[in-house]
């Protein structure tokens, strides 16, 4: 089956620093990956669509200069939260569609970010 | 109007009963529909996908899709306490690069 690995699973950082989250498709190539954010008791909110070899497409209201997305290969996408603030504390989840277009979406295990 | 809507619940059913979860969506072009289960603090896990009108059964789970009414549902038969979780309806929004949009989720509690 399709596996998406996400690291780290949990990170605590100081306010003002940057944090990088990695998302890897382990057994298939993912030309497109998606990044979501989930606050407590709320649903997953799509932040951006990450396309291999091109710029990410951000959803309305998501600051592209704050949430940097890089999709340099067919198996790796990274999300960097820059100049993190306590309000950025959330559960960040990546997903990829594959290995076939009708397979559905596979999710990473998520990253719990706490900014102190 | 939200793109994908669900009743947030909580929905409480006794063990062994049928749990019925409902979802409506606004985009008529949508072709792919998914039900995910999410336990607290965990990532969503796929339960069912459905692409055609009608019913699709997998074990204790049945997904129902009605594109004319823009409605998709999930039935859980013989509900177990381990089914207690938040159930997320997700829709692949048509003509938007495969984006998967989630409803707000329905919290299900199965009482022993």
């Amino acid at each position: 089956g399709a596996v998406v690995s996400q690291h780290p699973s949990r990170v605590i950082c100081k306010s003002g620093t940057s944090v990088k989250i990695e998302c890897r498709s382990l057994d298939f190539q993912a030309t497109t990956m998606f990044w979501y954010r989930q606050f407590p008791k709320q649903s997953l909110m799509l932040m951006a669509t990450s396309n291999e070899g091109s710029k990410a497409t951000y959803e309305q209201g998501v600051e592209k200069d704050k949430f940097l997305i890089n999709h340099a290969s067919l198996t790796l996408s990274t999300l960097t939260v820059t100049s993190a603030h306590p309000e950025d504390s959330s559960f960040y989840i990546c997903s990829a569609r594959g290995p076939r277009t009708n397979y559905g979406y596979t999710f990473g295990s998520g990253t719990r970010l706490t900014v102190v | 109007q939200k793109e994908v809507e669900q009743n947030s619940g909580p929905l409480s059913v006794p063990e062994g009963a049928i749990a019925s979860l409902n979802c409506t969506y606004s985009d008529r072009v949508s072709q792919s529909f998914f039900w995910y289960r999410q336990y607290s603090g965990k990532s969503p896990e796929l339960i069912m996908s459905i692409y055609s009108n009608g019913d699709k059964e997998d074990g204790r789970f049945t997904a129902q899709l009605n594109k004319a009414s823009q409605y998709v549902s999930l039935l859980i038969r013989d509900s177990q306490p381990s089914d207690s979780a938040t159930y997320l309806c997700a829709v692949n929004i048509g003509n938007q690069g495969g984006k998967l949009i989630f409803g707000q989720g329905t919290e299900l509690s199965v009482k022993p």
Side-chain angles (χ1 to χ4, degrees), chain A residues 5 7 16 36 38 41 44 46 66 78 81 86 95 105 107:
Chain A
S5 175
H7 293 282
Y36 292 84
Q38 186 177 35
K41 300 294 186 183
L44 280 73
L46 181 65
K66 180 171 182 62
T78 61
V81 182
S95 78
Y105 298 76
F107 284 80

Side-chain angles (χ1 to χ4, degrees), chain B residues 9-75:
Chain B
L11 173 65
S12 183
V13 300
E15 183 175 358
I18 295 175
S20 178
L21 305 162
N22 304 313
C23 174
T24 58
Y25 59 96
S26 61
D27 187 85
R28 287 194 169 276
V29 185
S30 298
Q31 297 294 321
S32 308
F33 308 87
F34 305 87
W35 282 100
Y36 285 86
R37 176 173 60 196
Q38 186 178 30
Y39 294 108
S40 180
K42 302 295 185 182
S43 190
E45 54 180 323
L46 180 68
I47 297 175
M48 296 276 290
S49 61
I50 186 166
Y51 305 96
S52 304
N53 278 327
D55 295 359
K56 179 181 178 182
E57 187 175 318
D58 184 0
R60 297 187 294 114
F61 300 97
T62 299
Q64 299 173 317
L65 175 61
N66 184 323
K67 290 186 179 180
S69 300
Q70 294 174 238
Y71 174 91
V72 58
S73 66
L74 179 70
L75 299 177

